[in-house]
């Protein structure tokens, strides 16, 4: 199946990377095509009639359901989009333009990074594809290790910069800690029930009345869920994420913020709905044990508490940030809060809104980061002059000042994305927040929904702050800037004679940004495309 | 006899692990680490978990600890630096005790304390229940019942050991190559990624320039 096709392609790609005859540009392109092809394959499996409530493959260690296949397709498409957007020509030539002799090899380093990047991304995506459809404790642990190990390497990939190495080490240590927690939880579950398969654990929980076993298993489940919350940076365990996101290069940050979260959230969804579905069935039966009720509410309360904390922390702390990627990391935390709220409610409607939220959030986030990369190229190209060897990414919000006049379309689309994240009505972000709130109110979580509304209003202020910075003109510096650009132009002209002409952005990059922005903008005209599919998925989870 | 030996081994493991943390000289602490691993492996083998014990010796003692020893002898740290940091262990002691006791408390409130694991205590407990049954002299409260309540016998893994004692490695291999073949493949992919990652992280970039 799909895994095998990815595997063989990895091997096939690993071989030419040794002799390195191929240009590295092809590597990202090939792996993007691999992603699309694998996505098509797994999309094909959606048409298999017997898929119903899921097929166990590989002797029941993995379970293919409609949801897992759909999310896999989504993951692969997003992955291919990120890979295609890999900066190629512009950054290379810009680096080779710089005057320093020492920096001349860094252009070729960039080239080699891109091949490594695409290979590691393949590994990590294989892990997350496995993780989505896992149905066994052992395979869960192995696939999460595969996924997160790829991510640790990805974070340390740019080892020329000190900050990225630091971020990678931090990510590695804390991710290792959370893996230990997951492993401890899995070990406890195995020690008490003697089972590793999810299905049999669910059935054991739903049937047995022995307090001991259920208590131990619930302890294990709590530990596992805490470990996963650590990995997706939900609130009480969020401290690593702003540092790591800030210090890694932007192209890696895209990957870190989007891909692992989708797969882990889907796994949490599977776990939580299965245990949660069993809960009400038990309450109907006469001899219900109070401890078992406790364990179910324990998980739900855990998710609710963490969602509450991450909503509050993500917005309130985010207000004080000056670095743009830290700010986006905090906004990620508050969005995770929304997603966890939808997860904790666990009705058909909330699962629907959860899936929709995940999809819209990853699209919007991808778009924001792509635009930031594009803007950073433009800024770098306009200040080609002095200390450009170290500045590659945009770090501070103030760097965005007045960029509307430099790149009007890009900054317009950035502001559209930020409006959508803040939840301004005609955009896609509004609908997802509305669905989550609607389902929360529908099942009686009034306090949480009030908190959500307040928090989203607060968070709108810092998105608006970015937009305001983006669109106000720099008043004192304009003359200086003009002078500098004139100077730059002459410099560029002199360079153009020797070097080949560099492009600001690759065509595909700008095309991608425009497509994503338009899909965010025009979602209201054809909402049925995403909404119907998510609704079908949530119904399939509950009714099969 | 074996229980006594196992107890001595467990105690020795704890003792040498404490020594490996607190000893001033890094070489000696690594040697204590090796002795910890060896004793833990022996302990595991004696309680019937052969494969894990053997792999402990092969992996930890054979590869990792010797590598540590080698690296420490190579880099040649000054002893005075370590002596300065040695005083900082006691600074965090209250925090460590607080966290540890909290963890133990939580674990033991949910996991029932199980005397079966500690032979010295369980012998005492058996005696008490035995005298109890003699004194009360009733057939209903038999030793077995009390034992099953106190010692949590339904969790004991005697049958596990009896079945798998002889061909543990064989059973493991059989399971791994038939039932869990995909796990093996996944593991191999993880190892491949690990190898690849170490290569690309530690590679010298100057060579690529040409």
């Amino acid at each position: 199946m799909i895994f095998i096709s990815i595997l063989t392609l990895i091997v096939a790609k690993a071989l030419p990377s040794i002799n390195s005859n191929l240009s590295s540009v092809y590597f990202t392109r090939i792996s993007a095509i691999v992603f699309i092809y694998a996505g098509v394959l797994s999309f094909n499996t959606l048409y298999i009639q017997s898929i119903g409530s899921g097929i166990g493959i590989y002797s029941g260690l993995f379970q293919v359901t409609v949801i897992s296949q759909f999310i896999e397709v989504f993951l692969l498409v997003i992955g291919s989009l990120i890979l295609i957007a890999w900066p190629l020509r512009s950054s290379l030539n810009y680096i080779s333009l710089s005057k320093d002799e020492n920096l001349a090899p860094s252009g070729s380093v960039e080239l080699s990074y891109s091949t490594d990047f695409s290979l590691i991304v393949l590994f990590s995506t294989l892990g997350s594809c496995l993780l989505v459809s896992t149905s066994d404790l052992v395979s869960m642990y192995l696939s999460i290790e595969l996924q997160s190990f790829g991510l640790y390497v990805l974070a340390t990939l740019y080892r020329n910069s000190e900050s990225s190495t630091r971020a990678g080490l931090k990510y590695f240590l804390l991710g290792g800690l959370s893996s230990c927690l997951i492993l401890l939880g899995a070990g406890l579950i195995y020690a008490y029930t003697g089972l590793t398969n999810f299905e049999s654990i669910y059935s054991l929980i739903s049937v047995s009345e022995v307090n001991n076993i259920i208590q131990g298993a619930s302890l294990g489940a709590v530990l596992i869920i805490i470990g996963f919350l650590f990995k997706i940076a939900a609130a009480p365990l969020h401290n690593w994420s702003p540092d790591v996101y800030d210090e890694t290069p932007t192209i890696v940050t895209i990957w870190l913020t989007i891909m692992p979260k989708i797969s882990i959230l889907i796994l949490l969804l599977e776990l939580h709905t299965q245990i949660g579905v069993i809960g009400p069935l038990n309450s109907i039966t006469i001899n219900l044990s109070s401890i078992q009720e406790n364990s179910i509410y324990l998980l739900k309360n855990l998710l609710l508490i963490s969602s509450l904390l991450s909503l509050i922390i993500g917005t309130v702390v985010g207000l004080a940030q000056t670095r743009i990627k830290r700010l986006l990391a905090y906004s990620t935390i508050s969005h995770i809060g929304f997603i966890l709220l939808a997860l904790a409610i666990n009705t058909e409607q909330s699962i629907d809104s959860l899936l929709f939220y995940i999809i819209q959030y990853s699209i919007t986030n991808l778009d924001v980061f792509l635009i930031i990369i594009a803007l950073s190229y433009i800024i770098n190209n306009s200040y080609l002059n002095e200390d450009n060897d170290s500045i590659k990414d945009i770090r501070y919000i103030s760097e965005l000042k007045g960029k509307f006049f430099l790149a009007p379309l890009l900054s317009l689309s950035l502001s559209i994305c930020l409006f959508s994240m803040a939840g301004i009505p005609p955009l896609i972000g509004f609908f997802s927040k509305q669905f989550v709130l609607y389902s929360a109110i529908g099942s009686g979580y009034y306090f949480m929904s009030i908190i959500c509304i307040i928090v989203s209003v607060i968070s709108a202020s810092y998105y608006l702050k970015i937009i305001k910075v983006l669109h106000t003109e720099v008043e004192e510096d304009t003359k200086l800037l003009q002078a500098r650009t004139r100077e730059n132009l002459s410099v560029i002209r002199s360079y153009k004679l020797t070097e080949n002409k560099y492009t600001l952005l690759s065509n595909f990059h700008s095309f991608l940004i425009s497509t994503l922005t338009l899909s965010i903008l025009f979602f209201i005209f054809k909402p049925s495309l995403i909404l119907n599919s998510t609704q079908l998925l949530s119904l399939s989870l509950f009714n099969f | 006899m074996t229980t006594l030996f196992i107890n001595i081994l467990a105690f020795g493991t704890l003792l040498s692990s404490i020594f490996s943390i607190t000893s001033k000289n890094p070489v000696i602490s690594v040697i204590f680490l090796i002795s910890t691993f060896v004793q833990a492996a022996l302990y595991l083998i004696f309680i019937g978990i052969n494969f894990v014990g053997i792999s402990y010796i092969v992996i930890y003692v054979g590869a990792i600890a010797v590598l540590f020893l080698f690296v420490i002898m190579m880099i040649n740290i000054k002893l005075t630096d370590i002596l300065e940091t040695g005083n900082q262990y006691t600074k965090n002691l209250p925090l460590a005790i607080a966290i540890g006791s909290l963890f133990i408390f939580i674990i033991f409130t949910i996991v029932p304390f199980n005397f079966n694991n500690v032979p010295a205590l369980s012998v005492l407990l058996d005696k008490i229940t035995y005298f109890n049954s003699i004194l009360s002299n009733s057939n209903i409260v038999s030793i077995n019942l009390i034992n099953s309540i106190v010692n949590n016998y339904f969790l004991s893994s005697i049958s596990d050991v009896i079945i798998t004692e002889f061909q543990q490695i064989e059973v493991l291999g059989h399971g791994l190559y038939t039932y869990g073949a995909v796990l093996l493949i996944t593991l191999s992919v993880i190892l491949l990624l690990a190898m690849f990652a170490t290569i690309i992280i530690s590679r010298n970039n100057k060579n690529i320039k040409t």
Side-chain angles (χ1 to χ4, degrees), chain A residues 67-80:
Chain A
I67 285 189
S68 74
Q69 285 304 304
F70 177 76
I71 293 297
E72 208 172 288
V73 173
F74 183 66
L75 264 176
L76 292 167
V77 168
I78 290 283
S80 70

Side-chain angles (χ1 to χ4, degrees), chain A residues 15-229:
Chain A
L15 287 178
S17 80
I18 296 167
N19 45 25
S20 71
N21 283 326
L22 277 174
S23 163
S24 70
V25 182
Y26 294 126
F27 271 99
T28 53
R29 296 281 152 86
I30 288 170
S31 44
I33 291 169
V34 166
F35 276 141
I36 291 173
Y37 180 65
V40 168
L41 274 185
S42 58
F43 187 71
N44 263 335
T45 55
L46 280 179
Y47 289 109
I48 298 173
Q49 285 296 318
S50 62
I51 203 165
S53 61
I55 308 170
I57 53 173
Y58 301 128
S59 61
L61 291 176
F62 291 95
Q63 176 103 357
V64 176
T65 59
V66 181
I67 285 189
S68 74
Q69 285 304 304
F70 177 76
I71 293 297
E72 208 172 288
V73 173
F74 183 66
L75 264 176
L76 292 167
V77 168
I78 290 283
S80 70
L81 289 186
I82 296 173
L83 270 188
I84 291 174
W86 175 267
L88 295 172
R89 289 292 166 210
S90 52
S91 62
L92 284 183
N93 285 338
Y94 138 68
I95 288 174
S96 59
L97 272 178
S98 59
K99 289 169 275 185
D100 258 342
E101 289 269 313
N102 300 340
L103 285 175
S106 64
S108 55
V109 167
E110 190 82 8
L111 273 172
S112 72
Y113 279 155
S114 79
T115 67
D116 298 339
F117 182 83
S118 54
L119 258 176
I120 290 167
V121 153
L122 274 177
F123 275 114
S124 158
T125 314
L126 179 66
S128 48
C129 284
L130 287 176
L131 186 65
V132 164
S133 62
T134 175
S135 79
D136 192 283
L137 285 177
V138 183
S139 62
M140 177 189 79
Y141 181 71
L142 281 185
S143 45
I144 194 143
E145 268 315 287
L146 182 56
Q147 182 199 6
S148 43
F149 192 51
L151 293 177
Y152 309 146
V153 179
L154 217 56
T156 33
L157 196 58
Y158 284 80
R159 62 193 170 80
N160 282 356
S161 70
E162 188 182 336
S163 66
S164 125
T165 314
R166 191 169 58 213
L169 190 61
K170 206 177 284 176
Y171 192 37
F172 173 64
L173 289 177
L174 290 171
L177 178 67
S178 61
S179 295
C180 279
L181 279 179
I182 291 170
L183 201 58
L184 177 64
L188 273 178
I189 287 182
Y190 180 69
Y192 274 89
T193 61
L195 300 167
T196 55
N197 208 343
F198 283 164
E199 291 293 326
S200 38
I201 289 172
Y202 300 149
S203 49
L204 184 77
I205 287 176
S206 69
V207 179
S208 68
E209 290 154 17
V210 187
N211 296 343
N212 231 332
I213 292 177
I214 294 302
Q215 242 178 346
S218 74
L219 177 69
V222 165
L223 279 178
I224 287 179
I225 285 185
I226 286 175
F228 280 129
L229 289 181

